[in-house]
Amino acid sequence: QTSEQLVKGATDTSNVLNYGMGYNLQRFSTLNQINKDTVKNLVPVWNYSFNDDRSEESQPLVYQGVIYVTSHNATMAVDAKTGKQIWKTKVEYPAETPRIVCCGIINRGAALYDGKVFRTTLDAHVIALDAKNGKELWRQKAADIKEGYSMTVAPLVADGVVITGISGAEFGTRGFIDGWDPATGKHLWRTYSIPSPDEPGGDTWKGDTWKLGGGSTWITGSYDPELNTVYWGIGNPGPFNSSVRPGDNLYTCSVLAMDPKTGKIKWHYQFSPNNPFDYDSVAEMVLADMNVEGKPTKVLMDANRNGFFYVLDRTNGKLLAANPYVKVNWATGIDMKTGRPIETDVSKDAREGKKVTVYPSILGGKNWEPMSFNPQTGLAYANTLNFGGKYKAEPVTFKQGEWYLGMDLTDPWEFGDGPRGHLKAIDPLTGQSKWEAPSDIPRFSGVLSTAGGVVFSGQLTGEFEAFDADTGKKLWQFQTGSGIEGQPVTWQQDGVQYVAVTSGYGGVYSLFSGDERLAKVPPGGSLWVFAVKQ
Ligand SMILES: O=C(O)c1cc(C(=O)O)c2c(n1)C(=O)C(=O)c1cc(C(=O)O)[nH]c1-2
């Protein structure tokens, strides 16, 4: 398809063309056949097996009646109406690859453009497949797994350029974002998320620390075609132990506004300077037009892992609002003039090597699982985490291909008795919830909202759920075969509205929380498609 079709994104209701359902990453659909009244009649239409037992985080794409979905070891095309496989192309990677993957053997999905399917591989390659038959058209190596790099990100195609990020900040890497020619795979540009000493921002690193500075870019950016600007979030600095790397450590825990053709940085905003707590700022930068103090404003929204919900003016990076949306104790607020956090003793003590209890934990107030913004209700629907962590920095030495953390990980969580997560309907400008749907085990699935007044999400124990967008009341649920870590999408074909989500248990909470309630969840990746019973 053309880039023009891609721009339509969420408003093109018969296709799901990119990660985030539209370049604004709103994950909102104007479809309303599935609505507050009819959702109780939602039934599965078909289920397609991935023949895989890993976590399935891939967001399905839909184009002209074909679903394109990925797992860590395959790319698949499936007939959207029947669930019949059209093609499946395996992804091979060296057996030692999982050793340098921090948080799960996963892939978050593909990008579609000009008859091709683009994806990344765990061993840090970018590949293009023919959308018709799954044949590989080109393959490029982005980085070396021996140096600790891996890839889980879904690519973005903006202004005719395939844009990809990288993972590896827990292994002493130096993050970057790459631009590739969709037709040939030619490498067009690389923008490092960590500037070298002679570049602007280079003085925020001491000595050689920039070389191992982290700043992964593992979640797909958003794109404003009118401003021709891509917004991409940057991960945590490495190592966690901040005494190793004094300074602000640009551009870690920041958002970059970039030119898609050249990768040139137009502006940046740093959420958490010199961060010790793994507060990656990679999560989706959602774009919307919103009234701010009575003025229509082009904004960018971010439910940051550091616990604050930010609204920026996306034309220039100016801070418009920043309020906590979960419990936060590392800062009392954000200085609206300087944009910098007003830190508490928790941050100071952590930097001095003392043991602290920090809210949010190193998994954040919200992790990677994408939220949805519904322009009709003006609310952001996000799966948030409701626990803190115990944090103590410890000495660390760098060894290539090994964990480079500098944090005592023996007992890192501070779980309370209450629910460990909520699906929250958040007012972006205040951070306040209109409603909260608690969950004992936190939800780690993406969120979808629709003009039918319904919000979809899923549980790590496998329930696919629908909520009333205005009240948070649960309207429907369906037990899938494994845990849901996927990202629901919706589209319409031949007059029928469908909803799809992957099921397949795993991800960072499952790996590291020690939550025994998850031990009984059966593995098994598959794709579910639902519609209202006719
Ligand atoms: O710094 C990084 O490079 C990096 C990469 C990834 C990833 O690629 O999945 C995660 C994280 N960090 C991370 O901090 C994290 O909490 C996380 C959760 C998940 C997941 O898939 O559940 N991935 C990652």
Side-chain angles (χ1 to χ4, degrees):
Q1 77 274 28
T2 63
S3 59
E4 206 180 350
Q5 277 173 297
L6 262 169
V7 172
K8 282 188 194 156
T11 57
D12 176 0
T13 51
S14 53
N15 299 309
V16 177
L17 294 170
N18 71 319
Y19 185 90
M21 292 185 62
Y23 275 143
N24 53 24
L25 306 192
Q26 286 186 359
R27 294 176 187 273
F28 169 76
S29 169
T30 53
L31 293 173
N32 61 8
Q33 186 179 87
I34 301 170
N35 56 43
K36 292 183 193 191
D37 296 326
T38 60
V39 71
K40 61 178 182 294
N41 299 323
L42 211 56
V43 289
V45 181
W46 51 260
N47 174 250
Y48 168 79
S49 171
F50 293 161
N51 188 24
D52 181 49
D53 61 3
R54 296 293 188 171
S55 173
E56 311 299 347
E57 296 183 3
S58 175
Q59 187 213 291
L61 301 176
V62 187
Y63 185 59
Q64 294 185 344
V66 179
I67 299 186
Y68 300 91
V69 67
T70 63
S71 68
H72 69 107
N73 65 5
T75 314
M76 295 154 277
V78 183
D79 184 307
K81 244 188 175 167
T82 63
K84 203 175 156 97
Q85 179 176 296
I86 298 168
W87 53 258
K88 174 169 183 168
T89 303
K90 277 199 174 159
V91 175
E92 315 271 359
Y93 55 79
E96 72 260 31
T97 309
R99 219 174 58 84
I100 48 84
V101 175
C102 78
C103 312
I105 309 298
I106 54 115
N107 184 271
R108 293 200 182 79
L112 298 175
Y113 184 74
D114 202 18
K116 299 181 185 65
V117 182
F118 304 93
R119 64 165 291 163
T120 62
T121 68
L122 216 51
D123 65 338
H125 287 68
V126 183
I127 57 182
L129 307 177
D130 187 328
K132 269 200 218 76
N133 52 29
K135 273 217 185 89
E136 190 171 300
L137 300 173
W138 56 258
R139 162 182 295 257
Q140 290 285 20
K141 180 172 168 177
D144 200 329
I145 53 166
K146 291 200 177 57
E147 294 172 9
Y149 291 98
S150 58
M151 278 172 130
T152 60
V153 69
L156 165 73
V157 183
D159 200 15
V161 178
V162 178
I163 303 176
T164 54
I166 192 82
S167 300
E170 270 70 74
F171 295 88
T173 56
R174 180 188 179 206
F176 53 82
I177 300 164
D178 278 327
W180 313 87
D181 178 353
T184 62
K186 185 174 174 240
H187 189 232
L188 301 176
W189 52 260
R190 169 165 293 184
T191 298
Y192 282 99
S193 56
I194 312 286
S196 60
D198 53 337
E199 288 175 309
D203 57 351
T204 63
W205 295 88
K206 221 174 163 181
D208 276 348
T209 55
W210 61 278
K211 289 184 178 163
L212 311 173
S216 301
T217 49
W218 49 282
I219 296 290
T220 314
S222 47
Y223 175 52
D224 183 331
E226 239 172 76
L227 298 170
N228 198 28
T229 303
V230 164
Y231 303 92
W232 207 289
I234 311 296
N236 60 286
F240 291 3
N241 184 338
S242 58
S243 68
V244 175
R245 43 171 177 79
D248 277 358
N249 306 144
L250 288 175
Y251 297 101
T252 64
C253 306
S254 302
V255 56
L256 298 183
M258 304 165 76
D259 181 319
K261 270 278 188 298
T262 61
K264 199 169 168 283
I265 299 172
K266 297 185 180 187
W267 57 257
H268 75 274
Y269 176 85
Q270 189 174 40
F271 302 97
S272 314
N274 187 248
N275 184 256
F277 303 124
D278 194 23
Y279 291 158
D280 293 69
S281 294
V282 291
E284 68 289 348
M285 303 292 160
V286 177
L287 313 183
D289 296 333
M290 190 184 278
N291 263 340
V292 182
E293 286 170 358
K295 261 192 265 148
T297 311
K298 290 177 187 296
V299 306
L300 171 154
M301 283 174 268
D302 176 41
N304 199 276
R305 190 147 150 166
N306 72 11
F308 290 92
F309 198 108
Y310 292 83
V311 180
L312 306 183
D313 179 333
R314 71 172 178 273
T315 64
N316 55 21
K318 189 175 172 283
L319 179 64
L320 301 175
N323 295 288
Y325 65 93
V326 289
K327 178 173 171 181
V328 174
N329 76 351
W330 68 276
T332 55
I334 308 299
D335 183 322
M336 292 302 292
K337 276 217 182 76
T338 63
R340 295 177 73 90
I342 305 157
E343 296 195 346
T344 64
D345 281 350
V346 171
S347 298
K348 185 168 154 277
D349 290 350
R351 289 215 183 82
E352 287 171 3
K354 292 182 193 145
K355 185 167 181 175
V356 299
T357 299
V358 63
Y359 283 82
S361 81
I362 58 167
L363 289 187
K366 171 179 153 315
N367 201 277
W368 74 272
E369 66 284 355
M371 65 183 180
S372 168
F373 176 73
N374 179 333
Q376 296 177 341
T377 62
L379 297 168
Y381 301 92
N383 278 323
T384 65
L385 301 176
N386 187 37
F387 55 88
K390 293 169 208 155
Y391 179 90
K392 190 178 180 320
E394 64 179 20
V396 60
T397 37
F398 173 70
K399 216 170 143 220
Q400 194 174 76
E402 309 267 321
W403 287 83
Y404 183 56
L405 282 189
M407 173 191 170
D408 179 0
L409 273 176
T410 39
D411 177 24
W413 312 120
E414 180 87 353
F415 293 129
D417 295 331
R420 291 188 186 172
H422 296 94
L423 171 59
K424 292 189 180 179
I426 302 170
D427 176 343
L429 291 169
T430 66
Q432 302 277 326
S433 304
K434 182 167 181 205
W435 54 259
E436 303 184 347
S439 180
D440 291 343
I441 300 171
R443 297 179 183 90
F444 260 81
S445 132
V447 183
L448 163 71
S449 69
T450 73
V454 181
V455 178
F456 288 96
S457 189
Q459 294 266 5
L460 283 173
T461 41
E463 298 88 342
F464 188 42
E465 308 169 300
F467 298 87
D468 183 319
D470 296 305
T471 64
K473 186 177 166 230
K474 196 189 275 194
L475 301 172
W476 171 87
Q477 74 172 40
F478 176 87
Q479 179 68 49
T480 65
S482 184
I484 296 185
E485 183 96 8
Q487 312 171 54
V489 296
T490 189
W491 72 99
Q492 181 165 269
Q493 192 175 343
D494 299 334
V496 179
Q497 184 185 354
Y498 296 94
V499 179
V501 71
T502 61
S503 173
Y505 159 79
V508 75
Y509 181 83
S510 319
L511 285 173
F512 295 115
S513 68
D515 193 329
E516 285 169 11
R517 294 168 295 183
L518 290 174
K520 289 197 198 105
V521 178
S526 68
L527 178 63
W528 289 88
V529 170
F530 300 86
V532 173
K533 196 171 178 192
Q534 299 293 318

